[in-house]
Each structure stands twice: as C-alpha cells, then as structure tokens.
Amino acid sequence: MRVVSDADLDALAARLYHLPLALELAGRYLAGHRRLAVADYLAQLADVWTHPSMARWREDLGSPTAHDLSLAATFALSWERVKAARRLFPMAGFCAPKRPIPCAALEAAAGLEQGACDEALGVLTGLGLLEQESAEGPLIHPLLAEYARCQEGAGGVLAPQAAALAREAKAANDRMDQTGSLAHFAPLAPHVRAVAESAEAQGLEDAASLWNSLGYYLHRAADYAGARAAFARALAILEKFLPPDHPRIEAVRRNLKGVG
C-alpha cells in the first residue's frame, strides 16, 4: 500500500499550481499507478504538458467531473473562447453605446457561429465589459466603448466589421421593402451610424455603403434632413474612390435627389 505524506501532496499541488483540472488528472493517474510514489511522479512532471497523465490518460475510464481529460486541449479551447471575446470587444466598442447590439451583426462581423458568439459574449458579460440588460442584445458603456477602441489591434477589426455591417444593413433594407416594416432596420440604425463614422474617419470605402443604407432607412422613416445628410456623406466618400460616372455614384445621386 502506498504511503503518501502531506509534504509530497503539498509539493505536487504546488507543482500543478493548485489548478483543479490538473489535480484531478494527477489523481486519476496515481489511482491507476498504485505502486508509483508521489515523489517519483512529481519528478516525472518536469514538463507537465507532455506527461501522459495530462494528455487523456485512460480516457475510457471517463471523468467524474465531465472535464476534457487533456490539460492542453482544455486550455486551447479556453484560449479560443478568449480570442473570440477579444475580437468581439473592440467591435462592440465601434457600435453605439448604451444601445442593444444585435447579436447577428456581431456574429457576421466576427465570422462566428451563433454558439461561439454567445460564449464570447458571455465571457465579456461575465467580466463586466458588456451589459446584458436586454434580450435584443448586449450593451456597452460609453467609457468601455472608448476603452475598447483604444485596445491594441482594435483598428484592424473595423474594416471587416464595416463590410459585414454594410451587408447586414442592405439586407435589413431589403426586408423592410418586402414587408413595409421599419422594424427590420431600426435596431441596426444607431450602430450603422456609429460604425460609418469610424469607418469614414479611417478612409474606408464601406463607409459609403453604410451611410447610403442609413439614408435609405431615414428616408423611409420620414427623417428627410437625416436622409439627405447620410446620402451626401455616402456620395462624398464614393467620389474619392470611383470615377464620376460609376453606377454606384449614380445610384447615390438618385437617392439624394429623391429626398427632395
């Protein structure tokens, strides 16, 4: 029968930094190697990550806590979730603060599936970086939005976010035309404006699409002054990128004239 001293157990716990999953995996391994002294096992843990006990040893025995039995795989999964959250946070920062952000818009911008997006948003909510006060989507505080936009690499998410949101906005306007309901675009409107302003400041062509879609919605909502201003900004941006007779420029000009 193996005799285990408190000192050996303390040393093992210290080597594994008291990480619950690592301790569970170590316990499973020692239970399966009853002649292995804890001190000898500890000596084998020079490289914890490659030791068999931390890499799905006897996975057929199962796990009483339903954890993955690979320490590295568990950490990798957690890191992927954090990476997704780190990508979503600046995207939320470019959206309008204190207004529910439609999750579908964030999913499209980040290229995430619904489940992965929800997990990432849960991480951000749990950290207090987003608020979940509405079933319509998470909210971001103005100060946290400013903080998010200042994070390293935040500028790199704006181009794909603007492109994805431009597609979402156009699709929302198409649904609005089909149904006659402004409700398809209304939740997006403040975020389209916020992202369009940031995208325009960075000289992104997709800012024109955002302003044009917002102008179309505002025209339908009878905000004629707002529609004219949005169309004018879209036209000014496109004129920097395209020749005067380009079909996109002509389309925005028609929209602007149509407001009256």
Side-chain angles (χ1 to χ4, degrees), residues 219 224 227-228 231 251-260:
H219 189 192
Y224 302 119
R228 278 193 295 270
F231 287 140
V252 175
R253 283 180 180 151
R254 286 195 299 272
N255 288 340
L256 185 54
K257 290 177 182 178
V259 178

Side-chain angles (χ1 to χ4, degrees), residues 128-203:
L129 297 173
L130 293 179
E131 304 170 33
Q132 191 67 52
E133 297 178 357
S134 168
E136 298 173 10
L139 298 84
I140 188 166
H141 188 278
L143 286 178
L144 286 172
E146 183 178 332
Y147 173 73
R149 294 192 300 271
C150 292
Q151 295 305 293
E152 182 179 356
V157 307
L158 183 57
Q161 181 177 11
L165 188 56
R167 292 191 294 270
E168 289 285 314
K170 184 181 184 306
N173 275 336
D174 290 342
R175 291 192 293 271
M176 183 174 66
D177 284 341
Q178 293 164 5
T179 65
S181 173
L182 299 176
H184 294 291
F185 196 96
L188 285 175
H191 308 297
V192 170
R193 181 183 297 277
V195 174
E197 288 175 345
S198 294
E200 183 178 359
Q202 282 202 13

Side-chain angles (χ1 to χ4, degrees), residues 4-254:
V4 182
S5 70
D6 289 341
D8 285 343
L9 291 178
D10 288 343
L12 178 59
R15 176 67 186 94
L16 298 176
Y17 297 96
H18 299 272
L19 188 67
L21 177 57
L23 293 172
E24 176 188 332
L25 297 178
R28 291 177 75 259
Y29 190 79
L30 287 169
H33 295 79
R34 296 187 177 278
R35 291 186 293 171
L36 177 63
V38 173
D40 292 336
Y41 173 58
L42 183 59
Q44 296 174 11
L45 291 179
D47 186 350
V48 172
W49 299 100
T50 61
H51 192 273
S53 61
M54 301 293 154
R56 296 197 175 99
W57 178 79
R58 290 299 307 273
E59 195 171 21
D60 57 297
L61 297 176
S63 167
T65 57
H67 283 124
D68 190 299
L69 298 178
S70 167
L71 191 63
T74 300
F75 273 42
L77 178 60
S78 297
W79 176 242
E80 286 301 318
R81 290 170 176 164
V82 171
K83 282 203 300 184
R86 287 169 64 99
R87 184 170 175 78
L88 280 180
F89 184 47
M91 288 182 170
F94 284 113
C95 291
K98 300 303 288 184
R99 301 293 294 272
I101 306 171
C103 292
L106 290 174
E107 289 168 15
L112 296 173
E113 298 294 333
Q114 178 177 322
C117 183
D118 286 346
E119 286 188 11
L121 291 175
V123 170
L124 294 172
T125 302
L127 291 172
L129 297 173
L130 293 179
E131 304 170 33
Q132 191 67 52
E133 297 178 357
S134 168
E136 298 173 10
L139 298 84
I140 188 166
H141 188 278
L143 286 178
L144 286 172
E146 183 178 332
Y147 173 73
R149 294 192 300 271
C150 292
Q151 295 305 293
E152 182 179 356
V157 307
L158 183 57
Q161 181 177 11
L165 188 56
R167 292 191 294 270
E168 289 285 314
K170 184 181 184 306
N173 275 336
D174 290 342
R175 291 192 293 271
M176 183 174 66
D177 284 341
Q178 293 164 5
T179 65
S181 173
L182 299 176
H184 294 291
F185 196 96
L188 285 175
H191 308 297
V192 170
R193 181 183 297 277
V195 174
E197 288 175 345
S198 294
E200 183 178 359
Q202 282 202 13
L204 300 178
E205 185 177 351
D206 280 314
S209 297
L210 291 167
W211 284 122
N212 188 56
S213 290
L214 181 62
Y216 189 82
Y217 161 75
L218 293 173
H219 189 192
R220 291 290 300 272
D223 181 355
Y224 302 119
R228 278 193 295 270
F231 287 140
R233 293 179 79 161
L235 183 60
I237 294 167
L238 287 178
E239 287 175 341
K240 296 176 183 178
F241 289 93
L242 303 173
D245 58 348
H246 193 280
R248 289 184 65 196
I249 288 182
E250 291 299 326
V252 175
R253 283 180 180 151
R254 286 195 299 272

